Amino acid sequence: MMKAIKYILLIITFTAASSCKKYVDVDAPRTELAQSSVFVNDKTAIAAMVGVYSDMNAYNYQFANVITMFMGSMSADDFTYAATLAGFDEFKNNTVTPGNTYVSGMWSQPYDFIYRANSIIEGVTASNTLSASVKNQLLGEAKFIRAFCHFYLVNIFGDVPLILDTDVIKNTDLPRTATAQVYQAIIADLVDAKKLLSSDFPGGGERTRPAKGAATLLLARAYLYTGNNAQAEIEAGEVIADNAHYSILPKEKINEVFLKNSKEAIWQLQPVNISGNRNTWEGFTMTPASITSPTAYYRLTKDPDHGLVFAFEPNDLRKSNWTGNYTTAATPPLTHTYPYKYKVRTNPTVTEYSMVLRFAEAYLIRAEARIQQGKLQPGKEDLDVIRNRAGLAPLTLPANIATGMQQVEQERRVEFFAEWGQRWFDLKRWKSTVTAGKTRADDVLPATKPLWKSTAILMPIPTDAIKTNPNMVQNPGYN
């Protein structure tokens, strides 16, 4: 079905273990280890798990960065790219083809991490020599990673094969699993992970391995996306109540949100193999090397009626602190705005980690869940917490659910731009306010995307997956 799932566990565990020093201070195995050896003691078992995070960040350009830049932002209405590149233009124009290299990476890499998570689950479960605390922690982390990857797969592609073990022969020809069933597995994994994980950050206190808060927040998101607003409110509330580990920074410290181990960080990826002194892929790719003579860089959309540049309210600190400007050499000169949440393009001193899950989302999930249940006042109050950090006045009480959801959409757009596909997923999951049976994407995107078709809300199944799996069926609109 996919190249990634055909890795041999022997190679996977060695690769994972060999990169663990960048996350925790343990001795990596000196030789390739069979599964029984990897899970015979705490150190080597931990090494196998943290190697997954190491590789997640090492591959971040093809995984998280692609979700953020191409699918999540250019396919939506966050920003565009200054140059003309065929692979990028497909996302910008919502004309993605099954042979697109970046789509292939969005498919194969999550399945790689799912396979490795499954191998850890099986190895840890079978082991009778690991300490109880490490066994619980690793099972929780592995189930979280499996849920996390399935979550992105199902939101990018729709129905996808649900892989819950390491049986390559069986999994290679699996057909697509219904989205509802995939979500059931995601929620089950996160419920288990939440029980197994500690509230404290494992591995020395940095926020680079998932703790209970990460599982709880992603669980809240899964409930929200599946329409279980009551449970989404409960789970988000549990994250918010954990003020020993997380807090919203004051507006004076808004530029500290994306620093490593920020109090708003629930889960981050730590830089590994720092090429060219980069801290994060986000900072390296989205920040111009020069604001006086930039070449091809990302630009926030500028359409006066629909562009993100004009979506910010006056005096919103997110615009003044989380975006930057550069001027082209055109005649007359043109000023463009780029994402600037990450300030470091290159620097040998690491001050920023890639933010995967952050505390503000708990408030925005709870706000939406409350408003959808008709709890307009408490929903508004949750939105106001985020607005206060942005230096904005409290909202007026919405008159009804529809008005409240307009407020939710606005706050989520200006808070989560250029982050992990949040805007794209929102437009896909919300129902149209204009036409029954359509999505919010159908309301919003045609205004600036003349080639928009409703079938573009799902990415195509990659060509390689179609060719290698006789049971794989292509998404509508891509045949």
Side-chain angles (χ1 to χ4, degrees):
M1 179 178 64
M2 47 233 150
K3 296 177 181 178
I5 209 164
K6 295 179 180 178
Y7 290 160
I8 300 172
L9 178 62
L10 181 70
I11 298 174
I12 289 174
T13 51
F14 174 66
T15 302
S18 66
S19 55
C20 68
K21 291 285 280 187
K22 300 176 180 67
Y23 278 81
V24 293
D25 188 17
V26 298
D27 294 324
R30 298 176 182 273
T31 59
E32 296 182 4
L33 298 173
Q35 182 176 1
S36 58
S37 298
V38 170
F39 299 105
V40 75
N41 67 68
D42 289 354
K43 282 189 176 182
T44 53
I46 291 171
M49 187 70 248
V50 296
V52 174
Y53 311 130
S54 178
D55 285 346
M56 272 188 165
N57 203 44
Y59 298 148
N60 207 11
Y61 183 78
Q62 290 291 338
F63 180 34
N65 226 24
V66 167
I67 292 173
T68 290
M69 296 187 304
F70 304 153
M71 185 207 67
S73 292
M74 285 197 286
S75 292
D77 55 357
D78 276 356
F79 57 70
T80 186
Y81 193 68
T84 299
L85 295 172
F88 289 22
D89 290 347
E90 289 185 7
F91 292 92
K92 182 168 60 178
N93 298 322
N94 300 100
T95 56
V96 181
T97 60
N100 187 291
T101 301
Y102 303 107
V103 168
S104 179
M106 285 190 286
W107 176 274
S108 62
Q109 289 184 14
Y111 275 120
D112 175 14
F113 298 130
I114 287 169
Y115 183 80
R116 291 168 65 172
N118 286 335
S119 72
I120 290 169
I121 291 169
E122 292 172 5
V124 169
T125 301
S127 175
N128 56 13
T129 56
L130 296 177
S131 66
S133 59
V134 167
K135 194 167 189 175
N136 285 342
Q137 179 68 33
L138 296 183
L139 280 174
E141 290 184 61
K143 288 194 172 190
F144 170 85
I145 290 298
R146 185 168 69 181
F148 177 83
C149 291
H150 275 128
F151 175 88
Y152 278 91
L153 284 165
V154 81
N155 277 282
I156 295 168
F157 298 104
D159 299 349
V160 291
L162 177 64
I163 308 296
L164 300 175
D165 57 43
T166 59
D167 187 338
V168 175
I169 302 301
K170 178 191 70 176
N171 293 335
T172 297
D173 296 333
L174 274 183
R176 299 172 68 174
T177 306
T179 294
Q181 187 176 340
V182 177
Y183 262 114
Q184 287 175 2
I186 290 168
I187 290 170
D189 272 346
L190 292 172
V191 168
D192 286 347
K194 180 181 169 184
K195 293 175 182 176
L196 292 163
L197 293 172
S198 168
S199 296
D200 295 328
F201 302 104
E206 290 210 307
R207 300 170 184 232
T208 52
R209 290 171 62 189
K212 182 179 180 180
T216 309
L217 181 63
L218 189 58
L219 182 58
R221 190 196 292 181
Y223 281 131
L224 186 76
Y225 277 35
T226 53
N228 191 340
N229 294 303
Q231 198 61 40
E233 178 185 2
I234 291 170
E235 300 295 338
E238 288 188 18
V239 179
I240 292 168
D242 187 3
N243 52 27
H245 296 93
Y246 314 108
S247 64
I248 294 293
L249 294 174
K251 59 187 177 184
E252 294 80 12
K253 295 185 177 182
I254 192 169
N255 274 324
E256 296 180 17
V257 170
F258 294 89
L259 296 183
K260 68 177 184 179
N261 301 314
S262 156
K263 284 288 284 185
E264 292 203 27
I266 289 181
W267 180 38
Q268 297 178 304
L269 290 173
Q270 180 180 348
V272 294
N273 302 324
I274 303 174
S275 174
N277 293 327
R278 66 172 172 83
N279 276 207
T280 67
W281 273 111
E282 293 90 339
F284 184 74
T285 55
M286 287 191 276
T287 303
S290 169
I291 61 172
T292 57
S293 57
T295 52
Y297 287 103
Y298 299 95
R299 299 171 176 173
L300 269 61
T301 50
K302 290 182 65 176
D303 180 274
D305 297 317
H306 308 283
L308 178 58
V309 168
F310 300 102
F312 294 92
E313 296 173 52
N315 303 314
D316 190 329
L317 294 176
R318 290 168 292 199
K319 183 178 183 182
S320 56
N321 289 273
W322 290 357
T323 71
N325 296 304
Y326 66 85
T327 302
T328 68
T331 303
L334 297 173
T335 298
H336 295 282
T337 305
Y338 59 90
Y340 197 43
K341 289 178 173 178
Y342 297 89
K343 313 299 185 189
V344 180
R345 189 172 193 276
T346 57
N347 194 312
T349 301
V350 176
T351 58
E352 296 176 343
Y353 290 170
S354 294
M355 186 78 77
V356 187
L357 296 172
R358 62 186 179 97
F359 190 46
E361 186 177 359
Y363 280 98
L364 292 175
I365 286 175
R366 193 171 70 173
E368 180 177 344
R370 284 174 162 176
I371 287 171
Q372 289 282 27
Q373 296 174 84
K375 301 177 181 180
L376 303 180
Q377 179 65 36
K380 182 199 88 74
E381 291 171 357
D382 280 339
L383 294 177
D384 286 341
V385 172
I386 305 305
R387 290 175 61 82
N388 180 65
R389 199 247 279 113
L392 299 176
L395 292 164
T396 57
L397 181 66
N400 49 47
I401 292 174
T403 305
M405 283 303 297
Q406 291 175 2
Q407 295 176 340
V408 167
E409 181 173 345
Q410 166 65 15
E411 290 307 316
R412 287 184 66 89
R413 186 182 189 191
V414 295
E415 179 70 22
F416 289 135
F417 69 93
E419 284 187 63
W420 282 87
Q422 293 267 21
R423 174 65 171 169
W424 177 243
F425 292 163
D426 286 345
L427 293 177
K428 284 159 43 70
R429 68 186 176 87
W430 287 329
K431 294 179 181 179
S432 168
T433 59
V434 178
T435 307
K438 297 287 188 177
T439 67
R440 187 73 179 127
D442 293 303
D443 297 346
V444 172
L445 298 183
T448 55
K449 292 172 175 282
L451 300 178
W452 171 257
K453 295 180 180 179
S454 294
T455 52
I457 62 170
L458 295 178
M459 293 292 156
I461 305 298
T463 300
D464 286 348
I466 296 290
K467 287 181 176 179
T468 57
N469 183 352
N471 297 315
M472 188 62 60
V473 178
Q474 184 57 270
N475 274 325
Y478 297 104
N479 291 312

